[in-house]
Amino acid sequence: YQLVVDLLQGRVLFVQIGEQGHNHKPLRGAMDFIGQTDLRQLIRLGWHAVGGLGPSTFLQHLMAAFGKPYVLLLGGREPVSWTQYPAQQTLHTLGALDCCRKEACWKSRVVPLGDGSSQDKSLCSQPQPTDPPSPRCMAIISPESVAEAVLRYQT
């Protein structure tokens, strides 16, 4: 995400959201609203936003409800048919890797978190040594292709 913000600096204003306890590295050049919004405030942010960018998450569905653009970074975890909305561009890698060649992998985590969750047993088969670790299906979606998808919505 940092590379996308860097590529679009001066052209797109990014506002970063997310729960405080989750793994959200603050992005340079983005307004930091991490841990600063309740549900009502998030809905209001979505209403006033031009569009959204991120994984398959509540914000994606919120933007769809408002008929606003969203660039979805899907990778190979979930099927496109489960996540696609009309005003949305989905960048996925389904079919590109052995682990998601025929169908979505549905893996829950890249590395175990040791929190006692059964999700620690549903791990990515191709983790990438990034910081934090990411699944290969997401790592091969280039920041340039994400920036290009975001810019398609500018009129």
Side-chain angles (χ1 to χ4, degrees), residues 21-38:
H22 291 177
N23 187 13
H24 299 292
K25 234 182 195 177
L27 299 170
R28 290 180 320 279
M31 294 179 67
D32 184 359
F33 277 37
I34 299 170
Q36 299 179 43
T37 57
D38 59 23

Side-chain angles (χ1 to χ4, degrees), residues 24-115:
H24 299 292
K25 234 182 195 177
L27 299 170
R28 290 180 320 279
M31 294 179 67
D32 184 359
F33 277 37
I34 299 170
Q36 299 179 43
T37 57
D38 59 23
L39 180 58
R40 187 178 188 93
Q41 292 166 324
L42 176 59
I43 291 169
R44 197 171 17 226
L45 269 175
W47 174 255
H48 291 286
V50 173
L53 163 65
S56 182
T57 187
F58 177 73
L59 180 63
Q60 170 203 9
H61 304 295
L62 182 64
M63 299 309 280
F66 292 145
K68 297 205 175 186
Y70 190 85
V71 176
L72 171 64
L73 305 181
L74 190 62
R77 182 180 185 273
E78 299 169 85
V80 175
S81 60
W82 280 46
T83 58
Q84 185 66 47
Y85 286 108
Q88 174 180 292
Q89 292 180 71
T90 303
L91 302 179
H92 69 85
T93 52
L94 288 157
L97 303 171
D98 290 341
C99 53
C100 59
R101 179 130 12 249
K102 295 181 181 173
E103 60 186 16
C105 76
W106 289 107
K107 298 299 182 184
S108 298
R109 293 186 172 164
V110 181
V111 294
L113 299 180
D115 59 1

